[in-house]
Amino acid sequence: MRRLLCEVFKSSRKEEMYLYVDKARGLVDVPEGLLEGFGKPISVMTLLLGEDKKLARVDAARIMEAIDEKGFYFQLPPAKEEYLLDLYRTPTETRY
């Protein structure tokens, strides 16, 4: 089974936005425009990926495929549920 030593960077600009890259190549394959929007990459972990590795939001095989094709995998923050935003915007009622 194939394995990949992967470094994960978080964005300095947006919470829950991550870049996964081959540890050996680092950020050299990440387009400059993407890095400008991403902000300063902050290394958060190094992991050994295998196609059977369980991750919270994406299949490890998908990350490995993207790194093979593009040199990186870009993970956006999860979409916020619209109803949660509506609940947040709606003023709460106080009863006495």
Side-chain angles (χ1 to χ4, degrees):
M1 181 186 298
R2 183 172 164 260
R3 302 238 182 253
L4 173 70
L5 190 59
C6 177
E7 187 164 8
V8 183
F9 294 90
K10 73 176 184 174
S11 170
S12 61
R13 291 199 178 140
K14 185 134 177 128
E15 277 189 45
E16 298 187 64
M17 184 181 286
Y18 297 95
L19 270 171
Y20 295 71
V21 297
D22 182 331
K23 174 90 172 159
R25 293 197 46 83
L27 297 166
V28 298
D29 297 319
V30 180
E32 193 61 39
L34 177 59
L35 285 175
E36 286 174 15
F38 190 77
K40 181 181 181 194
I42 302 164
S43 180
V44 291
M45 74 176 83
T46 299
L47 15 118
L48 184 59
L49 289 181
E51 293 161 353
D52 59 339
K53 178 92 172 166
K54 300 289 183 199
L55 299 173
R57 282 197 249 149
V58 67
D59 291 333
R62 188 168 164 202
I63 293 172
M64 293 170 70
E65 182 180 313
I67 290 173
D68 286 345
E69 290 176 8
K70 300 183 287 187
F72 65 94
Y73 176 81
F74 180 53
Q75 181 176 312
L76 291 167
K80 301 291 184 203
E81 295 290 337
E82 194 60 37
Y83 78 92
L84 290 175
L85 292 174
D86 289 340
L87 288 174
Y88 174 75
R89 291 183 196 122
T90 304
T92 53
E93 200 176 297
T94 307
R95 293 182 182 166
Y96 295 99

